[in-house]
Amino acid sequence: MNKTIIAIAIAAAGFIIGLAFLGSAIKNRNKSENTISVTGLGTKKFTSDLIAWSGNFSRNSFELKSAYDELANDKKVIENYLASKGIPKNEMVFSAVDIQKQFNYSTDNMGRSQQTFAGYQLSQRVSIDSKDVAKIENLSRNITEIINLGIEFTSSPPNYFYTKLADVKQQMIADATKDAKQRAEKIAENAGAKLGNLKKATMGVTQITEPNSTEEFSYGGTFNTSSKEKEASITIKLEYEVD
């Protein structure tokens, strides 16, 4: 009899404990569902303060030494030209000389392919990184002046950067966080609830595009370097408890 009573008591205690755990689980589940998730946006327009520009020049000859001597002379002419435009020598970076053998390809009367040596092509690149954006912009637009000096020169479009991007990102993060919190407070207010503690914050990637452009955002972030004027944006997703 005593054993039966003890067994019933243990079973009852287990049932009560089980109900307590179940009630706690339901309460916690309902609590986890009482949340608000919002996304805030931070944007900033700015003007690039660093420009990177480069150009290639080349010479062709059947004699390797002749092509090299001509290219070396072209390099001196380009150095003098850039110096005359106010470019410091320490901002001029010349790459190593690239040497390529050239061939002409044809087919003989038997249909067999053959190649004929057509000489050497030697090329070199000059690059400039400068904070004087206007000066290098003007230089890149008037590069025909170098061509008129008898040099086979090809100019690349300049790329634009901003050296204080870290400061811009911090401000955008602050703005996006503030925007998200205001949205959450408004939603809670309209629902007759009160905003609780912040549970989670997730930051999106930085997107830098040309202002008023049709550039698309990418999953890994967009970084436009072709435009001097830029617009950056970032998103912050916040999740709050609701009381």
Side-chain angles (χ1 to χ4, degrees), residues 7-219:
I8 294 172
I10 292 174
F15 180 71
I16 293 171
I17 293 173
L19 287 176
F21 276 115
L22 179 61
S24 177
I26 293 174
K27 181 180 179 181
N28 289 334
R29 185 193 67 181
N30 292 335
K31 183 179 180 181
S32 66
E33 291 176 351
N34 293 334
T35 60
I36 292 177
S37 294
V38 290
T39 300
L41 176 66
T43 63
K44 178 71 174 178
K45 290 183 178 180
F46 54 93
T47 302
S48 302
D49 61 357
L50 178 67
I51 186 170
W53 170 80
S54 65
N56 285 293
F57 54 102
S58 62
R59 284 289 179 175
N60 295 276
S61 177
F62 279 93
E63 297 293 332
L64 182 59
K65 185 179 183 306
S66 175
Y68 190 87
D69 290 342
E70 290 176 354
L71 193 71
N73 183 69
D74 289 346
K75 178 183 175 183
K76 291 180 181 179
V77 173
I78 292 171
E79 282 179 325
N80 292 334
Y81 172 81
L82 295 176
S84 72
K85 297 298 181 180
I87 309 300
K89 280 199 171 183
N90 63 347
E91 289 186 1
M92 308 176 199
V93 179
F94 287 88
S95 68
V97 176
D98 180 63
I99 303 174
Q100 298 288 336
K101 287 185 177 181
Q102 303 295 304
F103 295 92
N104 291 326
Y105 297 92
S106 61
T107 304
D108 61 17
N109 54 10
M110 299 295 292
R112 293 172 298 190
S113 298
Q114 56 186 15
Q115 63 180 26
T116 306
F117 178 64
Y120 296 95
Q121 181 183 66
L122 275 64
S123 61
Q124 200 166 6
R125 174 181 291 268
V126 58
S127 303
I128 297 174
D129 290 354
S130 175
K131 287 194 172 185
D132 195 335
V133 177
K135 181 189 292 184
I136 305 304
E137 271 187 326
N138 185 63
L139 177 68
S140 67
R141 291 170 183 158
N142 295 282
I143 212 62
T144 52
E145 294 180 0
I146 293 181
I147 297 174
N148 291 336
L149 296 173
I151 298 174
E152 187 176 330
F153 194 91
T154 304
S155 175
S156 299
N159 290 313
Y160 299 90
F161 303 92
Y162 190 60
T163 59
K164 300 176 183 178
L165 191 56
D167 295 337
V168 171
K169 285 183 177 180
Q170 289 184 4
Q171 184 59 53
M172 288 194 302
I173 291 171
D175 292 343
T177 303
K178 181 179 179 181
D179 180 46
K181 185 176 180 181
Q182 289 175 342
R183 291 170 185 264
E185 289 173 340
K186 195 65 177 178
I187 293 172
E189 179 185 341
N190 292 338
K194 183 180 179 182
L195 204 64
N197 295 326
L198 177 66
K199 293 186 62 179
K200 186 179 180 181
T202 306
M203 183 173 68
V205 296
T206 303
Q207 310 282 353
I208 301 177
T209 62
E210 180 181 359
N212 305 316
S213 70
T214 57
E215 289 181 78
E216 295 184 358
F217 289 174
S218 68
Y219 180 79

